[in-house]
Amino acid sequence: MSQAVDIELRLLIEAIFLRYSHDFRDYSVASLKRRVLHAQTQLDYPSISSMQERILRDADAFGQLMQYLTVPVSDMFRDPAYFLALRRIVVPVLRTYPSIKVWVAGCSTGEEVYSLAILLREEGLLDRTILYATDINPVSLDSARHGVLPLERVSNYTANYQKGGGLRSFSDYYTAAYGGALFDKSLRDNITFADHSLATDSVFSETQFISCRNVLIYFNRKLQDRALGLFHESLSHRGFLGLGSKETLDFSMWRNKFEPASKPDRIYRKL
């Protein structure tokens, strides 16, 4: 049975690529398998093959499946020590640029990019910064564009913000609206949201800082190296790269192209 499921999974992923040009072929097989089987149960398909047959003919059904294939889970100021390290190590260098470009790759529903916008506002840099927030999931991108937080998460976000070196009250950055917490529009004004795939797309801008956290863990080694190559190409001379707490450059083909700026916080600098 397991072998049959593995074959069905491979055929599904190939069908998605051929029909929709979304390339999951170099994602971690174990992770993809868990998510596809979960989607099969939640969406009430009798088999992966029946799921494939449906999505090939129904783009809306594929849109439903995408919510399971990607991982739209994030937090404001996730891993607060990371944001403390950004203030200490990265911000002083960013101050030396007359204009700044930041890329948040795999932005999900926007928590990371809004966290960075707040940090840059507090450091006096947001007005001269463009933040590019990219993802492959159109539903997540649409949610990020609207900038509405779930009210039940605000207390946790507030605690993270304070631990991450926040200089004001977190409530200064949102108002209660639409049954949630709506981010201040002035934060969104400097953010450009765009569809971009680390599996198939190329570099689109020179940046001084890239934050791609908890994305590479879902890729196999080949796709990790492709993504890191895009980051290396996109970064300006001596630009910074931030990864997730379980991610590292140590085993990548690009490890000799970066040096640790703060290894415990997974912040690297292009050589």
mmCIF file of all heavy atoms in Angstrom, residues 111-135:
data_model
loop_
_atom_site.group_PDB
_atom_site.id
_atom_site.type_symbol
_atom_site.label_atom_id
_atom_site.label_comp_id
_atom_site.label_asym_id
_atom_site.label_seq_id
_atom_site.Cartn_x
_atom_site.Cartn_y
_atom_site.Cartn_z
ATOM 1 N N GLU A 111 2.982 37.852 8.669
ATOM 2 C CA GLU A 111 3.449 38.215 10.005
ATOM 3 C C GLU A 111 4.912 38.640 10.027
ATOM 4 O O GLU A 111 5.288 39.598 10.717
ATOM 5 C CB GLU A 111 3.220 37.045 10.980
ATOM 6 C CG GLU A 111 1.780 36.811 11.370
ATOM 7 C CD GLU A 111 1.015 35.951 10.383
ATOM 8 O OE1 GLU A 111 1.524 35.717 9.266
ATOM 9 O OE2 GLU A 111 -0.094 35.507 10.726
ATOM 10 N N GLU A 112 5.754 37.935 9.268
ATOM 11 C CA GLU A 112 7.186 38.256 9.262
ATOM 12 C C GLU A 112 7.453 39.629 8.648
ATOM 13 O O GLU A 112 8.205 40.430 9.202
ATOM 14 C CB GLU A 112 7.953 37.184 8.478
ATOM 15 C CG GLU A 112 9.438 37.446 8.331
ATOM 16 C CD GLU A 112 10.269 36.837 9.448
ATOM 17 O OE1 GLU A 112 9.685 36.168 10.329
ATOM 18 O OE2 GLU A 112 11.486 37.030 9.447
ATOM 19 N N VAL A 113 6.812 39.917 7.520
ATOM 20 C CA VAL A 113 7.102 41.191 6.854
ATOM 21 C C VAL A 113 6.563 42.371 7.657
ATOM 22 O O VAL A 113 7.198 43.429 7.727
ATOM 23 C CB VAL A 113 6.564 41.193 5.399
ATOM 24 C CG1 VAL A 113 5.060 41.252 5.330
ATOM 25 C CG2 VAL A 113 7.191 42.353 4.625
ATOM 26 N N TYR A 114 5.419 42.210 8.312
ATOM 27 C CA TYR A 114 4.914 43.292 9.157
ATOM 28 C C TYR A 114 5.801 43.478 10.393
ATOM 29 O O TYR A 114 6.003 44.610 10.857
ATOM 30 C CB TYR A 114 3.469 43.032 9.560
ATOM 31 C CG TYR A 114 2.480 43.275 8.436
ATOM 32 C CD1 TYR A 114 1.800 42.231 7.832
ATOM 33 C CD2 TYR A 114 2.251 44.567 7.964
ATOM 34 C CE1 TYR A 114 0.911 42.451 6.793
ATOM 35 C CE2 TYR A 114 1.357 44.803 6.919
ATOM 36 C CZ TYR A 114 0.689 43.735 6.339
ATOM 37 O OH TYR A 114 -0.189 43.962 5.297
ATOM 38 N N SER A 115 6.334 42.390 10.910
ATOM 39 C CA SER A 115 7.274 42.503 12.030
ATOM 40 C C SER A 115 8.491 43.321 11.626
ATOM 41 O O SER A 115 8.956 44.198 12.367
ATOM 42 C CB SER A 115 7.715 41.108 12.503
ATOM 43 O OG SER A 115 6.626 40.344 12.963
ATOM 44 N N LEU A 116 9.009 43.034 10.427
ATOM 45 C CA LEU A 116 10.178 43.770 9.939
ATOM 46 C C LEU A 116 9.831 45.226 9.649
ATOM 47 O O LEU A 116 10.639 46.132 9.910
ATOM 48 C CB LEU A 116 10.734 43.102 8.682
ATOM 49 C CG LEU A 116 11.444 41.769 8.917
ATOM 50 C CD1 LEU A 116 11.765 41.092 7.585
ATOM 51 C CD2 LEU A 116 12.718 41.962 9.726
ATOM 52 N N ALA A 117 8.631 45.482 9.138
ATOM 53 C CA ALA A 117 8.215 46.865 8.880
ATOM 54 C C ALA A 117 8.161 47.658 10.184
ATOM 55 O O ALA A 117 8.597 48.821 10.242
ATOM 56 C CB ALA A 117 6.859 46.886 8.188
ATOM 57 N N ILE A 118 7.656 47.037 11.234
ATOM 58 C CA ILE A 118 7.608 47.706 12.541
ATOM 59 C C ILE A 118 9.016 47.978 13.055
ATOM 60 O O ILE A 118 9.332 49.077 13.527
ATOM 61 C CB ILE A 118 6.802 46.843 13.547
ATOM 62 C CG1 ILE A 118 5.312 46.865 13.177
ATOM 63 C CG2 ILE A 118 7.013 47.340 14.976
ATOM 64 C CD1 ILE A 118 4.471 45.873 13.948
ATOM 65 N N LEU A 119 9.877 46.975 12.962
ATOM 66 C CA LEU A 119 11.268 47.152 13.409
ATOM 67 C C LEU A 119 11.933 48.299 12.642
ATOM 68 O O LEU A 119 12.590 49.162 13.243
ATOM 69 C CB LEU A 119 12.032 45.839 13.212
ATOM 70 C CG LEU A 119 13.485 45.773 13.683
ATOM 71 C CD1 LEU A 119 13.876 44.328 14.007
ATOM 72 C CD2 LEU A 119 14.467 46.312 12.640
ATOM 73 N N LEU A 120 11.762 48.314 11.332
ATOM 74 C CA LEU A 120 12.386 49.364 10.516
ATOM 75 C C LEU A 120 11.785 50.735 10.830
ATOM 76 O O LEU A 120 12.499 51.742 10.815
ATOM 77 C CB LEU A 120 12.225 49.027 9.035
ATOM 78 C CG LEU A 120 13.040 47.822 8.553
ATOM 79 C CD1 LEU A 120 12.550 47.344 7.187
ATOM 80 C CD2 LEU A 120 14.534 48.147 8.494
ATOM 81 N N ARG A 121 10.492 50.793 11.119
ATOM 82 C CA ARG A 121 9.861 52.054 11.520
ATOM 83 C C ARG A 121 10.524 52.570 12.811
ATOM 84 O O ARG A 121 10.870 53.759 12.914
ATOM 85 C CB ARG A 121 8.365 51.825 11.724
ATOM 86 C CG ARG A 121 7.614 52.895 12.506
ATOM 87 C CD ARG A 121 7.476 54.223 11.789
ATOM 88 N NE ARG A 121 6.840 54.099 10.506
ATOM 89 C CZ ARG A 121 5.513 53.946 10.320
ATOM 90 N NH1 ARG A 121 4.695 53.902 11.357
ATOM 91 N NH2 ARG A 121 5.024 53.854 9.111
ATOM 92 N N GLU A 122 10.690 51.676 13.763
ATOM 93 C CA GLU A 122 11.265 52.093 15.040
ATOM 94 C C GLU A 122 12.726 52.496 14.928
ATOM 95 O O GLU A 122 13.221 53.304 15.720
ATOM 96 C CB GLU A 122 11.089 50.967 16.074
ATOM 97 C CG GLU A 122 9.638 50.735 16.435
ATOM 98 C CD GLU A 122 9.427 49.704 17.523
ATOM 99 O OE1 GLU A 122 10.393 48.994 17.879
ATOM 100 O OE2 GLU A 122 8.300 49.605 18.014
ATOM 101 N N GLU A 123 13.412 51.947 13.944
ATOM 102 C CA GLU A 123 14.820 52.285 13.739
ATOM 103 C C GLU A 123 14.996 53.453 12.762
ATOM 104 O O GLU A 123 16.121 53.793 12.384
ATOM 105 C CB GLU A 123 15.584 51.060 13.234
ATOM 106 C CG GLU A 123 15.587 49.879 14.199
ATOM 107 C CD GLU A 123 16.357 50.148 15.488
ATOM 108 O OE1 GLU A 123 17.200 51.078 15.502
ATOM 109 O OE2 GLU A 123 16.120 49.440 16.487
ATOM 110 N N GLY A 124 13.883 54.054 12.345
ATOM 111 C CA GLY A 124 13.939 55.219 11.469
ATOM 112 C C GLY A 124 14.308 54.913 10.030
ATOM 113 O O GLY A 124 14.772 55.801 9.304
ATOM 114 N N LEU A 125 14.084 53.678 9.590
ATOM 115 C CA LEU A 125 14.514 53.265 8.252
ATOM 116 C C LEU A 125 13.376 52.936 7.293
ATOM 117 O O LEU A 125 13.610 52.761 6.098
ATOM 118 C CB LEU A 125 15.434 52.029 8.359
ATOM 119 C CG LEU A 125 16.748 52.219 9.119
ATOM 120 C CD1 LEU A 125 17.492 50.886 9.210
ATOM 121 C CD2 LEU A 125 17.610 53.270 8.443
ATOM 122 N N LEU A 126 12.145 52.856 7.792
ATOM 123 C CA LEU A 126 11.066 52.356 6.937
ATOM 124 C C LEU A 126 10.804 53.277 5.747
ATOM 125 O O LEU A 126 10.519 52.805 4.644
ATOM 126 C CB LEU A 126 9.780 52.183 7.755
ATOM 127 C CG LEU A 126 8.599 51.559 7.005
ATOM 128 C CD1 LEU A 126 8.961 50.174 6.464
ATOM 129 C CD2 LEU A 126 7.364 51.475 7.899
ATOM 130 N N ASP A 127 10.904 54.571 5.939
ATOM 131 C CA ASP A 127 10.590 55.512 4.865
ATOM 132 C C ASP A 127 11.499 55.351 3.646
ATOM 133 O O ASP A 127 11.120 55.716 2.530
ATOM 134 C CB ASP A 127 10.664 56.960 5.369
ATOM 135 C CG ASP A 127 9.506 57.307 6.290
ATOM 136 O OD1 ASP A 127 8.526 56.540 6.314
ATOM 137 O OD2 ASP A 127 9.582 58.323 7.003
ATOM 138 N N ARG A 128 12.705 54.837 3.844
ATOM 139 C CA ARG A 128 13.604 54.648 2.699
ATOM 140 C C ARG A 128 13.776 53.165 2.337
ATOM 141 O O ARG A 128 14.754 52.774 1.697
ATOM 142 C CB ARG A 128 14.957 55.297 2.948
ATOM 143 C CG ARG A 128 15.665 54.903 4.229
ATOM 144 C CD ARG A 128 17.030 55.588 4.284
ATOM 145 N NE ARG A 128 17.444 55.895 5.632
ATOM 146 C CZ ARG A 128 18.654 55.667 6.104
ATOM 147 N NH1 ARG A 128 19.579 55.148 5.319
ATOM 148 N NH2 ARG A 128 18.967 55.976 7.344
ATOM 149 N N THR A 129 12.820 52.342 2.765
ATOM 150 C CA THR A 129 12.895 50.902 2.522
ATOM 151 C C THR A 129 11.715 50.430 1.673
ATOM 152 O O THR A 129 10.580 50.856 1.878
ATOM 153 C CB THR A 129 12.890 50.120 3.851
ATOM 154 O OG1 THR A 129 14.003 50.516 4.649
ATOM 155 C CG2 THR A 129 12.964 48.620 3.602
ATOM 156 N N ILE A 130 12.009 49.557 0.716
ATOM 157 C CA ILE A 130 10.969 48.783 0.034
ATOM 158 C C ILE A 130 11.099 47.343 0.506
ATOM 159 O O ILE A 130 12.187 46.761 0.445
ATOM 160 C CB ILE A 130 11.128 48.839 -1.497
ATOM 161 C CG1 ILE A 130 10.980 50.274 -2.005
ATOM 162 C CG2 ILE A 130 10.105 47.937 -2.180
ATOM 163 C CD1 ILE A 130 11.289 50.413 -3.487
ATOM 164 N N LEU A 131 9.998 46.787 0.991
ATOM 165 C CA LEU A 131 9.980 45.383 1.402
ATOM 166 C C LEU A 131 9.222 44.585 0.361
ATOM 167 O O LEU A 131 8.063 44.892 0.043
ATOM 168 C CB LEU A 131 9.310 45.220 2.763
ATOM 169 C CG LEU A 131 10.007 45.879 3.953
ATOM 170 C CD1 LEU A 131 9.203 47.085 4.421
ATOM 171 C CD2 LEU A 131 10.172 44.892 5.106
ATOM 172 N N TYR A 132 9.877 43.581 -0.199
ATOM 173 C CA TYR A 132 9.228 42.661 -1.132
ATOM 174 C C TYR A 132 8.813 41.417 -0.351
ATOM 175 O O TYR A 132 9.662 40.737 0.235
ATOM 176 C CB TYR A 132 10.177 42.266 -2.251
ATOM 177 C CG TYR A 132 10.623 43.410 -3.123
ATOM 178 C CD1 TYR A 132 11.887 43.968 -2.968
ATOM 179 C CD2 TYR A 132 9.786 43.938 -4.099
ATOM 180 C CE1 TYR A 132 12.308 45.030 -3.758
ATOM 181 C CE2 TYR A 132 10.192 44.996 -4.900
ATOM 182 C CZ TYR A 132 11.455 45.537 -4.724
ATOM 183 O OH TYR A 132 11.870 46.585 -5.502
ATOM 184 N N ALA A 133 7.525 41.136 -0.337
ATOM 185 C CA ALA A 133 7.010 39.958 0.358
ATOM 186 C C ALA A 133 6.456 39.000 -0.677
ATOM 187 O O ALA A 133 5.506 39.335 -1.396
ATOM 188 C CB ALA A 133 5.927 40.364 1.351
ATOM 189 N N THR A 134 7.060 37.818 -0.786
ATOM 190 C CA THR A 134 6.682 36.892 -1.852
ATOM 191 C C THR A 134 6.248 35.537 -1.303
ATOM 192 O O THR A 134 6.712 35.087 -0.248
ATOM 193 C CB THR A 134 7.846 36.677 -2.841
ATOM 194 O OG1 THR A 134 8.935 36.033 -2.168
ATOM 195 C CG2 THR A 134 8.321 37.995 -3.419
ATOM 196 N N ASP A 135 5.353 34.892 -2.053
ATOM 197 C CA ASP A 135 4.886 33.559 -1.684
ATOM 198 C C ASP A 135 4.252 32.936 -2.923
ATOM 199 O O ASP A 135 3.960 33.637 -3.898
ATOM 200 C CB ASP A 135 3.867 33.638 -0.536
ATOM 201 C CG ASP A 135 3.786 32.348 0.261
ATOM 202 O OD1 ASP A 135 3.010 31.452 -0.126
ATOM 203 O OD2 ASP A 135 4.519 32.218 1.270
#
